[in-house]
Amino acid sequence: MSKRFLAVLGATVLALGLTACGGEGAGGGGDTSAEKPADLTIGVAMPTQTSERWIADGNSVKQKLEAKGYKVDLQYAGDDIPTQSQQVDQMITQGADVLIIAAIDGTALSGQLQAAADAKIPVIAYDRLIRESPNVDFYVSFDNYKVGVAQATALLVGLGLQNKDGSKGTAKGPFNIELFAGSLDDNNAHFFFDGAMDTLKPFIDDKSLRVKSGQTSIEQVAILRWQQETAQKRMEDLLTSSYNDGTKVQGVLSPYDGLSRGIITALQNAGYGGSGAKMPVVTGQDAEIASVKLINDGVQHSTIFKDTRLLAEQAVIAAEAFLQEKEPQANDTKTYDNGVKVVPSNLLPVQTVYKDDIKPVLVDSGYWTAEEVASGQAKG
Ligand code: BGC
């Protein structure tokens, strides 16, 4: 049982006129700075195990914390909001000393975060900002706007409208494209889409790109919970509604590899990538192994690599700072307004991966092995 937990009990202890163990509890300060790691527990709440990236995130955070001697309570919520709320509630009542949370719905945890604040448990939002709560103490993520810029840029490069160095490409278009966005309840989805649309807009305006379906608002193109099947269904519907006159779709902005695979399946079922029509330029994100294989095989065009090992490390550094009663170091104190306050953030850079980058970026860094890339399956 940690001192922070004892601090939660402090009021009771004081009411009984007893001295709290270890001098802790009076005032409920929950000072953990003198505690041994083995007496401290970090609650880690992750959204889902259906996407590799969250499995890698959870494992990395757990391993890194355990290597430092901390106890870790790692929970996955199967993308179910009540389950995640319950898991966080339980972490609090079981005496977590810090919470690291990758939220499913960024606005659904206010009650839990209030309970955490009352118990003086610092909360670190992991990759996804938790919104509409004053009780988010720190945010670790990537530069999410730049993810969107990079995705749109990869689309432009694939179509030949732009070169990798940012110079104008030789292609003229017009090209037919379709747009996809992530889950509206995920703050990141908005950043990705904004970054992408700011990048694509000049090309839509000068008509070198045409969104044939006319669906260009995030509400029209969002995919709830980032579900692959929903993306596949939407792509099928788009092909039926907007491309049944023989015109072909040439590019698809996809914000996440799972969606990209659904989109690619819909396109393949409609004959794209076979003798009928060229596979459109399809973007992605997360460097999931199944998609890395598709990129290697020339089916998917690109992904955005976000090194979850580095993100995990940042989360651990922030957690340790809080445990030592210090403020973690932020590199951004302006961008992430959660509706109540601007949350100090540490943002990591991202990297576009085209086929040629798989070896230098993903294999040589040990993120995936060459065998995993060839098979499209993680060895685990
Ligand atoms: C993450 C992305 C991920 C998506 C779906 C977002 O919040 O930033 O990396 O692709 O969720 O899991």
PDB file of all heavy atoms in Angstrom, residues 13-43:
ATOM      1  N   VAL A  13      -8.192   8.730   9.158  1.00  0.00           N
ATOM      2  CA  VAL A  13      -7.179   8.541  10.195  1.00  0.00           C
ATOM      3  C   VAL A  13      -7.193   9.738  11.150  1.00  0.00           C
ATOM      4  O   VAL A  13      -7.209   9.578  12.366  1.00  0.00           O
ATOM      5  CB  VAL A  13      -5.783   8.384   9.540  1.00  0.00           C
ATOM      6  CG1 VAL A  13      -4.692   8.349  10.594  1.00  0.00           C
ATOM      7  CG2 VAL A  13      -5.751   7.098   8.712  1.00  0.00           C
ATOM      8  N   LEU A  14      -7.251  10.923  10.562  1.00  0.00           N
ATOM      9  CA  LEU A  14      -7.250  12.132  11.388  1.00  0.00           C
ATOM     10  C   LEU A  14      -8.496  12.188  12.266  1.00  0.00           C
ATOM     11  O   LEU A  14      -8.450  12.538  13.435  1.00  0.00           O
ATOM     12  CB  LEU A  14      -7.172  13.380  10.511  1.00  0.00           C
ATOM     13  CG  LEU A  14      -5.776  13.678   9.949  1.00  0.00           C
ATOM     14  CD1 LEU A  14      -5.859  14.897   9.028  1.00  0.00           C
ATOM     15  CD2 LEU A  14      -4.766  13.931  11.054  1.00  0.00           C
ATOM     16  N   ALA A  15      -9.627  11.789  11.668  1.00  0.00           N
ATOM     17  CA  ALA A  15     -10.885  11.821  12.416  1.00  0.00           C
ATOM     18  C   ALA A  15     -10.797  10.935  13.649  1.00  0.00           C
ATOM     19  O   ALA A  15     -11.398  11.212  14.680  1.00  0.00           O
ATOM     20  CB  ALA A  15     -12.035  11.370  11.516  1.00  0.00           C
ATOM     21  N   LEU A  16     -10.036   9.875  13.506  1.00  0.00           N
ATOM     22  CA  LEU A  16      -9.886   8.959  14.627  1.00  0.00           C
ATOM     23  C   LEU A  16      -8.817   9.443  15.605  1.00  0.00           C
ATOM     24  O   LEU A  16      -8.570   8.821  16.620  1.00  0.00           O
ATOM     25  CB  LEU A  16      -9.508   7.559  14.119  1.00  0.00           C
ATOM     26  CG  LEU A  16     -10.593   6.834  13.319  1.00  0.00           C
ATOM     27  CD1 LEU A  16     -10.036   5.572  12.689  1.00  0.00           C
ATOM     28  CD2 LEU A  16     -11.775   6.509  14.227  1.00  0.00           C
ATOM     29  N   GLY A  17      -8.197  10.532  15.264  1.00  0.00           N
ATOM     30  CA  GLY A  17      -7.182  11.107  16.140  1.00  0.00           C
ATOM     31  C   GLY A  17      -5.918  10.284  16.192  1.00  0.00           C
ATOM     32  O   GLY A  17      -5.168  10.306  17.162  1.00  0.00           O
ATOM     33  N   LEU A  18      -5.679   9.511  15.129  1.00  0.00           N
ATOM     34  CA  LEU A  18      -4.486   8.664  15.100  1.00  0.00           C
ATOM     35  C   LEU A  18      -3.398   9.338  14.280  1.00  0.00           C
ATOM     36  O   LEU A  18      -3.661  10.217  13.473  1.00  0.00           O
ATOM     37  CB  LEU A  18      -4.822   7.314  14.475  1.00  0.00           C
ATOM     38  CG  LEU A  18      -5.911   6.515  15.175  1.00  0.00           C
ATOM     39  CD1 LEU A  18      -6.270   5.302  14.338  1.00  0.00           C
ATOM     40  CD2 LEU A  18      -5.455   6.095  16.571  1.00  0.00           C
ATOM     41  N   THR A  19      -2.195   8.871  14.436  1.00  0.00           N
ATOM     42  CA  THR A  19      -1.107   9.368  13.604  1.00  0.00           C
ATOM     43  C   THR A  19      -1.026   8.478  12.376  1.00  0.00           C
ATOM     44  O   THR A  19      -0.982   7.253  12.491  1.00  0.00           O
ATOM     45  CB  THR A  19       0.224   9.282  14.366  1.00  0.00           C
ATOM     46  OG1 THR A  19       0.003   9.811  15.649  1.00  0.00           O
ATOM     47  CG2 THR A  19       1.314  10.038  13.648  1.00  0.00           C
ATOM     48  N   ALA A  20      -0.996   9.073  11.219  1.00  0.00           N
ATOM     49  CA  ALA A  20      -0.906   8.268  10.003  1.00  0.00           C
ATOM     50  C   ALA A  20       0.468   7.621   9.911  1.00  0.00           C
ATOM     51  O   ALA A  20       1.452   8.160  10.361  1.00  0.00           O
ATOM     52  CB  ALA A  20      -1.133   9.152   8.785  1.00  0.00           C
ATOM     53  N   CYS A  21       0.486   6.432   9.298  1.00  0.00           N
ATOM     54  CA  CYS A  21       1.754   5.709   9.163  1.00  0.00           C
ATOM     55  C   CYS A  21       2.751   6.553   8.391  1.00  0.00           C
ATOM     56  O   CYS A  21       2.402   7.220   7.441  1.00  0.00           O
ATOM     57  CB  CYS A  21       1.556   4.416   8.366  1.00  0.00           C
ATOM     58  SG  CYS A  21       0.144   3.497   8.908  1.00  0.00           S
ATOM     59  N   GLY A  22       3.980   6.472   8.790  1.00  0.00           N
ATOM     60  CA  GLY A  22       5.057   7.115   8.041  1.00  0.00           C
ATOM     61  C   GLY A  22       4.907   8.611   7.992  1.00  0.00           C
ATOM     62  O   GLY A  22       5.484   9.269   7.130  1.00  0.00           O
ATOM     63  N   GLY A  23       4.106   9.183   8.850  1.00  0.00           N
ATOM     64  CA  GLY A  23       3.962  10.640   8.868  1.00  0.00           C
ATOM     65  C   GLY A  23       3.126  11.149   7.707  1.00  0.00           C
ATOM     66  O   GLY A  23       3.020  12.327   7.479  1.00  0.00           O
ATOM     67  N   GLU A  24       2.535  10.225   6.960  1.00  0.00           N
ATOM     68  CA  GLU A  24       1.802  10.607   5.759  1.00  0.00           C
ATOM     69  C   GLU A  24       0.329  10.824   6.101  1.00  0.00           C
ATOM     70  O   GLU A  24      -0.158  10.317   7.084  1.00  0.00           O
ATOM     71  CB  GLU A  24       1.941   9.447   4.754  1.00  0.00           C
ATOM     72  CG  GLU A  24       1.434   9.722   3.387  1.00  0.00           C
ATOM     73  CD  GLU A  24       2.058  10.932   2.769  1.00  0.00           C
ATOM     74  OE1 GLU A  24       3.274  11.117   2.903  1.00  0.00           O
ATOM     75  OE2 GLU A  24       1.324  11.717   2.153  1.00  0.00           O
ATOM     76  N   GLY A  25      -0.343  11.554   5.294  1.00  0.00           N
ATOM     77  CA  GLY A  25      -1.779  11.638   5.454  1.00  0.00           C
ATOM     78  C   GLY A  25      -2.237  12.995   5.902  1.00  0.00           C
ATOM     79  O   GLY A  25      -3.160  13.534   5.324  1.00  0.00           O
ATOM     80  N   ALA A  26      -1.577  13.621   6.855  1.00  0.00           N
ATOM     81  CA  ALA A  26      -2.025  14.925   7.310  1.00  0.00           C
ATOM     82  C   ALA A  26      -1.996  15.889   6.137  1.00  0.00           C
ATOM     83  O   ALA A  26      -0.994  16.015   5.457  1.00  0.00           O
ATOM     84  CB  ALA A  26      -1.130  15.419   8.430  1.00  0.00           C
ATOM     85  N   GLY A  27      -3.104  16.504   5.866  1.00  0.00           N
ATOM     86  CA  GLY A  27      -3.153  17.443   4.752  1.00  0.00           C
ATOM     87  C   GLY A  27      -3.325  16.726   3.422  1.00  0.00           C
ATOM     88  O   GLY A  27      -3.581  17.339   2.417  1.00  0.00           O
ATOM     89  N   GLY A  28      -3.202  15.411   3.420  1.00  0.00           N
ATOM     90  CA  GLY A  28      -3.437  14.629   2.201  1.00  0.00           C
ATOM     91  C   GLY A  28      -2.501  14.967   1.067  1.00  0.00           C
ATOM     92  O   GLY A  28      -2.877  14.902  -0.088  1.00  0.00           O
ATOM     93  N   GLY A  29      -1.289  15.348   1.391  1.00  0.00           N
ATOM     94  CA  GLY A  29      -0.355  15.803   0.357  1.00  0.00           C
ATOM     95  C   GLY A  29       0.095  14.696  -0.573  1.00  0.00           C
ATOM     96  O   GLY A  29       0.431  14.938  -1.711  1.00  0.00           O
ATOM     97  N   GLY A  30       0.061  13.446  -0.085  1.00  0.00           N
ATOM     98  CA  GLY A  30       0.434  12.331  -0.947  1.00  0.00           C
ATOM     99  C   GLY A  30       1.855  12.433  -1.467  1.00  0.00           C
ATOM    100  O   GLY A  30       2.111  12.090  -2.618  1.00  0.00           O
ATOM    101  N   ASP A  31       2.775  12.900  -0.632  1.00  0.00           N
ATOM    102  CA  ASP A  31       4.161  13.037  -1.085  1.00  0.00           C
ATOM    103  C   ASP A  31       4.790  11.654  -1.256  1.00  0.00           C
ATOM    104  O   ASP A  31       4.864  10.873  -0.315  1.00  0.00           O
ATOM    105  CB  ASP A  31       4.937  13.858  -0.050  1.00  0.00           C
ATOM    106  CG  ASP A  31       6.355  14.160  -0.510  1.00  0.00           C
ATOM    107  OD1 ASP A  31       6.830  13.504  -1.463  1.00  0.00           O
ATOM    108  OD2 ASP A  31       6.975  15.054   0.085  1.00  0.00           O
ATOM    109  N   THR A  32       5.215  11.363  -2.486  1.00  0.00           N
ATOM    110  CA  THR A  32       5.804  10.049  -2.747  1.00  0.00           C
ATOM    111  C   THR A  32       7.323  10.141  -2.901  1.00  0.00           C
ATOM    112  O   THR A  32       7.964   9.144  -3.202  1.00  0.00           O
ATOM    113  CB  THR A  32       5.227   9.450  -4.046  1.00  0.00           C
ATOM    114  OG1 THR A  32       5.243  10.463  -5.052  1.00  0.00           O
ATOM    115  CG2 THR A  32       3.829   8.932  -3.848  1.00  0.00           C
ATOM    116  N   SER A  33       7.875  11.334  -2.717  1.00  0.00           N
ATOM    117  CA  SER A  33       9.281  11.530  -3.093  1.00  0.00           C
ATOM    118  C   SER A  33      10.245  10.671  -2.289  1.00  0.00           C
ATOM    119  O   SER A  33      11.335  10.376  -2.750  1.00  0.00           O
ATOM    120  CB  SER A  33       9.667  13.005  -3.001  1.00  0.00           C
ATOM    121  OG  SER A  33       9.398  13.484  -1.717  1.00  0.00           O
ATOM    122  N   ALA A  34       9.819  10.260  -1.098  1.00  0.00           N
ATOM    123  CA  ALA A  34      10.739   9.455  -0.295  1.00  0.00           C
ATOM    124  C   ALA A  34      10.439   7.961  -0.402  1.00  0.00           C
ATOM    125  O   ALA A  34      11.048   7.138   0.259  1.00  0.00           O
ATOM    126  CB  ALA A  34      10.661   9.908   1.160  1.00  0.00           C
ATOM    127  N   GLU A  35       9.486   7.632  -1.250  1.00  0.00           N
ATOM    128  CA  GLU A  35       9.077   6.220  -1.339  1.00  0.00           C
ATOM    129  C   GLU A  35      10.005   5.401  -2.223  1.00  0.00           C
ATOM    130  O   GLU A  35      10.562   5.902  -3.195  1.00  0.00           O
ATOM    131  CB  GLU A  35       7.680   6.151  -1.964  1.00  0.00           C
ATOM    132  CG  GLU A  35       6.633   6.870  -1.194  1.00  0.00           C
ATOM    133  CD  GLU A  35       5.799   5.944  -0.337  1.00  0.00           C
ATOM    134  OE1 GLU A  35       5.911   4.718  -0.526  1.00  0.00           O
ATOM    135  OE2 GLU A  35       5.056   6.450   0.499  1.00  0.00           O
ATOM    136  N   LYS A  36      10.090   4.121  -1.931  1.00  0.00           N
ATOM    137  CA  LYS A  36      10.844   3.212  -2.802  1.00  0.00           C
ATOM    138  C   LYS A  36       9.949   2.835  -3.987  1.00  0.00           C
ATOM    139  O   LYS A  36       8.738   2.639  -3.803  1.00  0.00           O
ATOM    140  CB  LYS A  36      11.208   1.942  -2.033  1.00  0.00           C
ATOM    141  CG  LYS A  36      12.257   2.170  -0.961  1.00  0.00           C
ATOM    142  CD  LYS A  36      12.910   0.858  -0.532  1.00  0.00           C
ATOM    143  CE  LYS A  36      12.039  -0.049   0.327  1.00  0.00           C
ATOM    144  NZ  LYS A  36      11.564   0.483   1.601  1.00  0.00           N
ATOM    145  N   PRO A  37      10.541   2.684  -5.191  1.00  0.00           N
ATOM    146  CA  PRO A  37       9.721   2.282  -6.343  1.00  0.00           C
ATOM    147  C   PRO A  37       8.847   1.069  -6.048  1.00  0.00           C
ATOM    148  O   PRO A  37       7.691   1.015  -6.468  1.00  0.00           O
ATOM    149  CB  PRO A  37      10.764   1.974  -7.425  1.00  0.00           C
ATOM    150  CG  PRO A  37      11.918   2.860  -7.085  1.00  0.00           C
ATOM    151  CD  PRO A  37      11.944   2.948  -5.574  1.00  0.00           C
ATOM    152  N   ALA A  38       9.370   0.118  -5.300  1.00  0.00           N
ATOM    153  CA  ALA A  38       8.600  -1.105  -5.053  1.00  0.00           C
ATOM    154  C   ALA A  38       7.313  -0.832  -4.278  1.00  0.00           C
ATOM    155  O   ALA A  38       6.397  -1.659  -4.276  1.00  0.00           O
ATOM    156  CB  ALA A  38       9.461  -2.117  -4.304  1.00  0.00           C
ATOM    157  N   ASP A  39       7.220   0.338  -3.630  1.00  0.00           N
ATOM    158  CA  ASP A  39       6.005   0.668  -2.886  1.00  0.00           C
ATOM    159  C   ASP A  39       5.047   1.534  -3.708  1.00  0.00           C
ATOM    160  O   ASP A  39       4.042   2.011  -3.188  1.00  0.00           O
ATOM    161  CB  ASP A  39       6.367   1.429  -1.603  1.00  0.00           C
ATOM    162  CG  ASP A  39       7.142   0.533  -0.649  1.00  0.00           C
ATOM    163  OD1 ASP A  39       6.894  -0.685  -0.665  1.00  0.00           O
ATOM    164  OD2 ASP A  39       8.012   1.054   0.069  1.00  0.00           O
ATOM    165  N   LEU A  40       5.404   1.768  -4.951  1.00  0.00           N
ATOM    166  CA  LEU A  40       4.596   2.673  -5.775  1.00  0.00           C
ATOM    167  C   LEU A  40       3.992   1.922  -6.963  1.00  0.00           C
ATOM    168  O   LEU A  40       4.653   1.088  -7.583  1.00  0.00           O
ATOM    169  CB  LEU A  40       5.475   3.822  -6.289  1.00  0.00           C
ATOM    170  CG  LEU A  40       6.041   4.730  -5.185  1.00  0.00           C
ATOM    171  CD1 LEU A  40       7.120   5.639  -5.739  1.00  0.00           C
ATOM    172  CD2 LEU A  40       4.926   5.544  -4.538  1.00  0.00           C
ATOM    173  N   THR A  41       2.746   2.259  -7.243  1.00  0.00           N
ATOM    174  CA  THR A  41       2.048   1.595  -8.357  1.00  0.00           C
ATOM    175  C   THR A  41       1.633   2.618  -9.391  1.00  0.00           C
ATOM    176  O   THR A  41       1.096   3.676  -9.047  1.00  0.00           O
ATOM    177  CB  THR A  41       0.778   0.873  -7.845  1.00  0.00           C
ATOM    178  OG1 THR A  41       1.176  -0.045  -6.837  1.00  0.00           O
ATOM    179  CG2 THR A  41       0.073   0.133  -8.966  1.00  0.00           C
ATOM    180  N   ILE A  42       1.886   2.289 -10.630  1.00  0.00           N
ATOM    181  CA  ILE A  42       1.447   3.169 -11.719  1.00  0.00           C
ATOM    182  C   ILE A  42       0.342   2.450 -12.479  1.00  0.00           C
ATOM    183  O   ILE A  42       0.514   1.316 -12.948  1.00  0.00           O
ATOM    184  CB  ILE A  42       2.625   3.534 -12.659  1.00  0.00           C
ATOM    185  CG1 ILE A  42       3.604   4.469 -11.933  1.00  0.00           C
ATOM    186  CG2 ILE A  42       2.121   4.311 -13.883  1.00  0.00           C
ATOM    187  CD1 ILE A  42       4.739   3.862 -11.318  1.00  0.00           C
ATOM    188  N   GLY A  43      -0.796   3.106 -12.564  1.00  0.00           N
ATOM    189  CA  GLY A  43      -1.925   2.553 -13.319  1.00  0.00           C
ATOM    190  C   GLY A  43      -1.789   2.970 -14.775  1.00  0.00           C
ATOM    191  O   GLY A  43      -1.603   4.152 -15.064  1.00  0.00           O
TER     192      GLY A  43
END
